[in-house]
Amino acid sequence: MATTLAMFTDTSLCIGCRACQVACKQWNELGAEAPEWTGTYQNHSHFTDETFRLVRFVEQPQPNGNLAWLLMSDVCKHCAQAGCLDACPTGAIYRTEFGTVNINQDVCNGCRYCVSSCPFGVVAFNEDTGTAKKCTFCNDRIHNGLGPACAKACPTDSIQFGARETLVTKAQKRVETLKAMGFKDAQLYGADSNGFLGGLNAFFLLLSKPSTYNLPENPRLPQRNVVVDSLLSIVSAVAVGVGAVFAFRDRGKGDGDA
Amino acid sequence: MLKTPHWEMMVVWYFFLGGIAGGAYFTAAIADNFGGSRDRRVAQIGYLLSLPLVAICGVLLILDLGVPLRFLNMLRSFKFWDPMSIGAWALGVFGLFTLVSSVLSFSSSESTIALRRKIGLVGILFGFFLASYTGVLLSATALPFWSDARLMGALFLASGASTGMAAISLIMFATGAGSGDGWGRVKKADRFSMIFELVVLAVFLALLGSAARPILSGQFAALFWGGLVVVGLLIPLVLEFVGHRMRAVGAVSAVLVLVGGFILRYVVVMSIQS
């Protein structure tokens, strides 16, 4: 397997210019969508089948009554243990040799199970193609030695691209620097490959706790429920089965059979 | 933040009819194996009912896809940990069982009956699977309420059994009574399934606690309590115990059980997607 690639989004450097969002749209030929009023500068409110990079504008009330922004360029996390990939019944969702997660548009049949299996609400259904869509990690670019379009376009290096190991080391140093500067809540999200979902191949440096950015604190693989729930279903099956056997074996006096 | 899959009425119907198909086949196979010749009519109706229902299920599942012509792509892989994957496989295998059992249900030769009984016992496993996997499919997602419901599969299975039995009894009622045709025993089994379903439902809600909010408050609450609990379970149970010697009462109760089974799927699937 080739080196695991990653995107490191350092939210402390983001200026909210949305160059990443636009570059993503242009490179991946994603259509324009009607803007929506979200109450902040953020547009759109969620990932869609045409928006794979999304700059979040999180407003933080300040003691002086003003609002401060926490900016975060959000993207598919390319989880090491990916709910969408495990949910896909056709094999359309696959892991590339670089560790990224991609949807083969020629195989996807639009069952939409991946949409409900993403712990981050990333995967979206496209009505026109009838298939599921999400960030491809610019699969065409990385296979030609280029970084993803969003990382290339970012003017502040808030989005960095490279070998995962190198980026994680870099990110850890950056957290130390920020903490020394007084950003006491600076933390990495998804950098730990022993952490949740086996680590994220698109991981983040956050300036506040994950829930501030509307990220789950401890995202879990949906498929974790299959074994227990199946066993409980079997218990239910045995109970119903025993009841039915009892009913049909009963040699009482006709029991309403007249 | 999280996204719902936009599964709508076709999926609700699929879950509902799949439950009946699984329940009817299971009832037929139990009647065939444990009831003996006096329950032959129950067995035949159950087998013959499950066959078209499975066919309809397959059609619904295909039509609901974004690209229906690619439905065979479901068979490109087999993931034993993925309900959607094994579900597609199991539906196909169960379809074969319903077909073979239905054909064999017309034979009265001893050796064919013995074969049919054995096939039925194996087919039960797939029938149970079809009735319950749809619940596990929902609970193995990232969505709240669905993923919090440990007993979703168990509840769907109990409901599949009770609706399958109700459907058989309804067909027996509509096609005319015959002495010793097993009506009383189907009804008895159905009463047990309904009581069991009520118990599972109570534990289901108790385990969910506040996570059951999508069905317990808001626009779906009335349908859940009134439609499923009262009309779909409590009233039919009362009818069964008060008037189970009158076939018309039994038929009314069966209709209500079917209505309740549909409402269960509808409320569960639609509540968090609205």
Side-chain angles (χ1 to χ4, degrees), chain A residues 18-35:
Chain A
R18 278 187 281 231
C20 52
Q21 206 170 317
V22 174
C24 173
K25 286 239 178 201
Q26 297 190 336
W27 183 264
N28 293 296
E29 298 174 283
L30 303 174
E33 296 165 282

Side-chain angles (χ1 to χ4, degrees), chain B residues 144-146 148 204-205 208-222 224-225 267 271-272:
Chain B
F145 170 48
W146 284 0
D148 296 317
F204 170 87
L205 291 177
L208 276 170
S210 63
R213 209 178 306 112
I215 54 171
L216 295 187
S217 66
Q219 53 169 322
F220 288 90
F224 174 76
W225 290 114
V267 165
S271 59
I272 70 160

Side-chain angles (χ1 to χ4, degrees), chain B residues 177-201:
Chain B
S179 184
D181 61 359
W183 162 276
R185 286 181 291 277
V186 175
K187 278 305 197 182
K188 192 171 179 183
D190 202 10
R191 283 195 291 280
F192 175 79
S193 296
M194 285 155 65
I195 293 169
F196 180 70
E197 185 182 346
L198 260 182
V199 173
V200 175
L201 183 62

Side-chain angles (χ1 to χ4, degrees), chain A residues 47 85 87-90 105 107-113 116 119 121 123 130 214 222 225 229 236 239 248 250 257, chain B residues 1-3 5-7 38 64-67 70 73 76-77 79 82 137 139-142 147 150 154 184-185 188 192:
Chain A
F47 290 112
L85 193 155
C88 180
T90 65
Q105 292 295 321
V107 175
C108 173
N109 66 8
C111 77
R112 316 193 283 297
Y113 197 33
S116 55
V123 190
N214 221 350
N225 293 333
D229 296 10
S236 182
F248 281 98
D250 186 14
D257 250 15
Chain B
M1 183 73 192
L2 292 167
K3 284 195 173 55
H6 300 289
W7 286 337
R38 61 194 179 147
D64 192 61
L65 293 175
V67 192
R70 291 188 190 164
N73 286 5
R76 281 179 82 251
S77 61
K79 297 180 174 178
D82 177 15
L137 178 106
S139 66
T141 62
S147 62
R150 291 288 62 78
R185 286 181 291 277
K188 192 171 179 183
F192 175 79

